[in-house]
Amino acid sequence: MSDLGDFNLDQFKATYFEECNELLADAETRLMSLQQSPESAEPEDLHAIFRAVHSVKGGGGAFNFDQLVHFAHIYEALLDSMREGKAAVTEEVVDLLLSANDVLNNLIQAAQDGEDLPEEAWADVAVELEALQSGAAVEDDEENDENDDEIVDLTGDDPADVLTDGGNGTEKIWKIEFSPEPHLLQYANEPLLLIRELKTLGSLNTFIFTDKLPMFGDLKHDDIYFSWIFFLRTDKGQQAIEEVFEFVEFDCTLTVTEAHEGDFERLVEALGGTASNAGSIEADEGVSWGLFVDEKSKDEIESAQGWGLFDDDEDTSDDPVKSKDDIETEQGWGLFDDEVEKEVSPAEDTTSNKSSTKTVETKPTVPAKAKLTTPTEAKKAPAAKPASGGGAAKISSIRVDLDRVDRLVNMVGELVITQAMLQQQSSGMPIEYAQMMKQGFDDLAMHTRELQDSVMAIRMQPVKSVFARMPRLVRELSGKLGKKVDLVTSGENTEVDKTVVELLADPLTHMIRNSLDHGIETEDERLEVGKTPRATVHLSAEHRGGRIQIDIADDGRGINRERVLGKAIEKGLVPENHQLSPEEVDELIFMPGFSTAEEVTDVSGRGVGMDVVRRNISNLGGRISVSSVPGKGTKFNMSLPLTLAVLDGMVTAVADEKYVIPLTAIVESIRPEKEDIHRLATGGEVVFVRGEYIRLIYLHDVFGIKGASEDPSKALVVLVELDGGGHAGIVVDDLLGQQQVVIKSLEDNYDPVPGVSAATILGNGLVALILDVDGLTEMTHGRGASRRNVQSEKDLLVQSEQKYG
Amino acid sequence: MGLKVLAVDDSKTMRDMVSFTLRNAGHEVIEGNDGQHALSVLGGQNVDLIITDVNMPNMDGLTLIRELRGMPAYKSTPILVLTTEADGAKKNEGRAAGATGWIVKPFNPDKLLQVVAKVCP
């Protein structure tokens, strides 16, 4: 790679792997839809899957991922048969294709890690694919064999190198008869270039036959009228010579035969033409050429020379001659004809070429008049209708590095802060200036907000990418569990921040597993209670209230409350003989360490329960809840913020400190009456609001702030909703206003702080902490207090009321 | 003496590799994602060489070649087909559509430049 010193394949790998992931994900989606209705397969799906695998193979070959290419080739061959209708599309076949997709995925992963997979990881599927493929194309045996050869080609070093290595030392003279079809030029092939290339192989003697040249008036500018006989003395083989003509194989008659010393001279003599440099075959440089002219066309020599073919040729005779080594590398591109690749005698070769020429020949269809158009005119013409034929295809998307987008998001965040700061500072201005500035600030505020929304929108992605993995999961699990389950998804195009999309996969997977394992009955059980044998799981997403809502609903047996309660009591999570409402029982499944499965199956995971799901979702600023109707089914609802970059918050003041409470958590703010506040026996206080006792959290207590008002009836209580559906009351001095704040991670910039989810910078440049209300509750009431102790809190309250009465 | 080349492939990896190779050799490259997109980026401008993939969405390479050959501006522009299929039938399709020659993927950069030199004087 002499002149390409820095052609380093590694630089393309990242693109390739990214592309592979996209392609295979798309292929999988299409396979899933094929599986739903294999009998009515969309041809476009098959084509697209084929293209995906094909692209994976193409790129893989470039990086020498041999295993990957080998497997992709087998996979692709079956897909090709399928799209050509040679192999049937059945559920079993699609199952196999899905496995193949998995294997390919693993191979890509392995390639990315720079490893090879053990053969057993892919060989079985490969054998199955091949079996189907050969079954589909028994009559195409020969073609298959050829494909197999090709695999060797792609995976190993070019074996053909050996074949074409001309440096075998034995010099031979070859007679090459070359008669191009008149239309040769129309595919942009030039005899001149061919002759030049031929010259690089050895020393060349040339005859040109001009007898077919018409009178000048009948000349068509894009037709060829000449034919040639070359005598080439070279140590390269026949294949090297044929390679020169590979692109024109179907547009000419070509015979390459071995000749003998003196054949050239004898031909010159026999034809009675003039031969310059005759007999100087030995000459290494410079072209010897002969001109054969019959009586009639003698006058036309000039016009033949007027074409300048030979002049050109001679001008370039001192072109840098290609090294012999170059020739070897020319395998891998070549003949338009597979017949030549087989060992055939020159004579047979010619006939087969002739016959193929006839079948594929396309007659020039442009009328003679048009052909007289000069090349310059011809070139001008199309400029008049640019792209009109092509249609207005636009690039509908670009790929941008996530870092760049994040930087943009960050900068806009800073801008929002600056804007808020400016606005705040301007409020202290004399009234006459303030008036002038106000309009400007309002516009600025509006535009920054719009800018921020637009930038956030860049990061938004449809949840499709996560949803698309679920059908697969359902299919595999239902197979494993022996249940029949259909997954119905809706709202796949609902958009949410990329980070959120990525973090959705685990909770979703977990919940669907849960539904299938625990929620959905076996076929028999379903039939017994009069349900359809196939169960349905609905997975849906929608935007509601500035958040994304994701529902997972099944039509299974519902939560077995008796069993849940029994388990909870047995595990000591709930005190015995306490009445819980059905909803409260359902909520128990989110408690840490809770698992109703008698034994841990390999489906629902090991020991990781719904509590982890809840915690993960909570970490995203989301909430999860469950509702269940016995015998009818269970529905999980996840509610998540659309972005993790900004947050709508209520800025509150506690003495001189500012805290931001996420707006989504806030139910209302109240100033309670003194008599509604009750002290608990265990310490701590509750406030009585509309029939419910709510724990109070004194921020000044938690964060050790001096100078805050300690009497809730003189301060404000912000009621917030907790993860588990309970409430807490956060006591603050004042509410300063609602504001969109830019989230600055504490973990990244400092250390995690309990009770605080993140920080932000306010308009005045001061840092304010964003409260994690669930964390706060846990801190003040002990771990797991948010929901678990609801019942016991009530008990305590009852006790305390009796006490303080 | 740089050539102006249109490289068409739906795989960004391949486009990148073709473009990088050609640009390194001093050629100018414009890129198309598929046949349809290629026609629109081309917009009637003159190019010295077109290199296209076969299997592409929207408009495949063979259709693209036929379209181009039907337009006077590209009637005699050398067109190379990039193909992973090395068997005769596929190559013949390319040639029948009007391609000048073909290159088998994966190509090595030197090979690509050699073939380019072969069809572009």
Side-chain angles (χ1 to χ4, degrees), chain A residues 177-193:
Chain A
E177 294 170 64
F178 173 53
S179 320
E181 299 287 328
H183 63 256
L184 181 86
L185 290 172
Q186 284 171 18
Y187 297 129
N189 274 308
E190 270 266 25
L192 171 61
L193 296 174

Side-chain angles (χ1 to χ4, degrees), chain A residues 197 243 246-247 322 329-335, chain B residues 102-104 111-112 114-115 118:
Chain A
E197 204 178 334
E243 257 173 36
E246 60 201 346
F247 291 163
K322 277 191 205 167
T329 60
E330 295 186 1
Q331 268 303 303
W333 54 278
L335 305 164
Chain B
W102 50 269
I103 308 167
V104 169
K111 206 178 281 182
L112 174 69
Q114 265 177 37
V115 181
K118 186 182 170 101

